[in-house]
Amino acid sequence: MANAEQISEPGVAQRLLFSRSTVAKKLAFHGPIVVLIVALLYPMLWLVGASFAPGSSAVGSLPILPERATLDNYRDGWAGVGNIGFSTYFVNSMAISLISIVGNLFSCTMAAYAFARMEFPMKRTLFALLLLTILLPNQVTVIPQYIIFNALGMVNTYGPLLIPKFTAVDAFYTFLLVQFIRGIPQSLDEAARIDGCGHARIFFWIILPLCLPALATTAVFTFIYSWNDFLGPLLYLNSPDLYTVPLGLSQFMDATGRSMIGSLFAMSVLSLVPLVVIFAVAQRLLTTGIATTGAK
C-alpha cells in the first residue's frame, strides 16, 4: 500500500504542474485578446450607457453604466427637432439605401458580366481606367458632380444620391463582381450556348444565381455606405424633411456643441440597429463573398 502511494504521488504532482502550465499558457494567449476586445468595444458600450443617462450627465464620465437610467433621451430624440420627427430621417435613409442597393446590383453586375465574359474593342483599357477611378478620392469629383446636378436642377432632390448608383460608377463593386464571375467555369456558358442561350439568358439564368455571395457582399457594403453617407446629403439636400439619419443627428447639435447631447446619443444608438441587423442576416454570405473574391 505504501509503495502504491509513493508511485501515485509524483504522478498527481506532475499532472497538477501540467494543468497549471496549461492554464498559464491559455491566460497568456487569451488575456491580451480579451483586453484588446474590451478596449475596442468600450466606446460602443459607453455610447449605449450614455444614451440612458439623464441629459448630458454622461459627458466627461468614464463609467459605462449611468448612476440613474432613463428613457427620456430616446423619447425626446425620437420626437426630433422642430416639427420633424426622427422617424422621417429613418424612412428617408432606408429608402435611399434600398434604392442604392437595387441600382448597384443592376448596373455593377451587368458591367461586370461584360468585362468578364464578353469581347469588345479596348476592353482591357476600359477596365484599367475603371480600376483607376478607385484611386480617386471622392473629394476630387464632388465639385464637377455638383455643377452638373445643379445645372440639371436636381439640387434638393434625391437624384444626385441615386442616379450614380444606376451607372456603375462604384468601380469597387464592379471589380468585386468581375473577379467572382471569372471564377465561374466557362464550360457552363458553352453548354448554355449549345442549348441556344444568348448573353441575356446566360446572365440571368446561370451567372446571377451563382453570384449570390458576391451580390450579398455588394448589397451589404452599399447599404452601409449609403446609410452612413454624410457629405452627399449635406451637399444636395436643403429641406429638413428630406434629411437622412446623419444629417438628422447633426440637428441635435448647436453652436456650443452640447445641446440635446443625450438625445444625440440615444438616436446614434438607434441608427446602428439597421447596420447590426443587416450584418447579422448576411454575415455568412458576406464572408463567403469576400473570401471567394479575395482568393483570386
Side-chain angles (χ1 to χ4, degrees):
M1 187 67 182
N3 292 334
E5 290 178 353
Q6 290 175 353
I7 293 173
S8 61
E9 285 178 357
V12 173
Q14 188 175 10
R15 285 197 296 272
L16 287 174
L17 182 62
F18 178 76
S19 177
R20 290 174 181 173
S21 175
T22 303
V23 171
K25 289 180 180 177
K26 288 183 177 179
L27 287 176
F29 180 75
H30 294 289
I33 296 176
V34 172
V35 172
L36 181 61
I37 291 174
V38 171
L40 292 175
L41 291 179
Y42 174 77
M44 185 66 65
L45 297 175
W46 184 91
L47 175 64
V48 175
S51 68
F52 291 99
S56 59
S57 60
V59 177
S61 63
L62 290 178
I64 294 175
L65 297 177
E67 296 181 358
R68 185 171 64 86
T70 178
L71 293 176
D72 291 346
N73 293 331
Y74 285 89
R75 186 185 63 250
D76 298 340
W78 192 253
V81 178
N83 297 323
I84 302 175
F86 203 82
S87 60
T88 302
Y89 308 138
F90 257 82
V91 172
N92 294 341
S93 281
M94 187 61 70
I96 291 174
S97 300
L98 294 179
I99 296 175
S100 297
I101 289 175
V102 174
N104 264 347
L105 292 181
F106 172 78
S107 60
C108 293
T109 50
M110 296 186 73
Y113 177 81
F115 282 118
R117 284 294 200 262
M118 300 177 70
E119 295 297 332
F120 51 88
M122 299 182 65
K123 172 183 170 180
R124 293 180 180 274
T125 303
L126 292 175
F127 189 63
L129 291 175
L130 178 73
L131 295 182
L132 284 177
T133 61
I134 300 177
L135 305 178
L136 289 176
N138 290 332
Q139 292 79 2
V140 174
T141 59
V142 163
I143 295 177
Q145 285 182 352
Y146 185 86
I147 292 174
I148 293 173
F149 286 119
N150 187 44
L152 295 174
M154 301 184 72
V155 174
N156 202 30
T157 69
Y158 292 140
L161 304 178
L162 298 177
I163 290 177
K165 305 299 181 184
F166 289 86
T167 56
V169 296
D170 289 329
F172 171 75
Y173 303 126
T174 303
F175 173 72
L176 184 83
L177 289 162
V178 166
Q179 294 298 96
F180 196 91
I181 293 175
R182 283 176 176 172
I184 299 174
Q186 294 205 13
S187 58
L188 298 176
D189 300 30
E190 296 169 358
R193 287 195 185 89
I194 293 175
D195 292 336
C197 293
H199 280 297
R201 296 171 75 180
I202 292 174
F203 175 69
F204 286 106
W205 290 8
I206 297 176
I207 300 299
L208 277 187
L210 295 176
C211 286
L212 186 57
L215 296 177
T217 303
T218 301
V220 170
F221 281 127
T222 301
F223 184 88
I224 293 173
Y225 176 80
S226 300
W227 186 267
N228 292 328
D229 186 23
F230 179 78
L231 181 60
L234 180 65
L235 286 174
Y236 294 109
L237 302 179
N238 299 324
S239 302
D241 58 334
L242 297 178
Y243 281 3
T244 58
V245 167
L247 289 184
L249 291 174
S250 67
Q251 298 300 298
F252 293 113
M253 304 293 292
D254 63 4
T256 63
R258 293 182 64 87
S259 62
M260 300 187 70
I261 197 72
S263 299
L264 173 64
F265 290 156
M267 293 304 101
S268 297
V269 172
L270 288 185
S271 69
L272 295 176
V273 173
L275 301 176
V276 174
V277 170
I278 194 171
F279 181 79
V281 171
Q283 182 181 11
R284 184 179 60 83
L285 291 174
L286 181 65
T287 306
T288 305
I290 294 175
T292 306
T293 54
K296 298 298 173 187

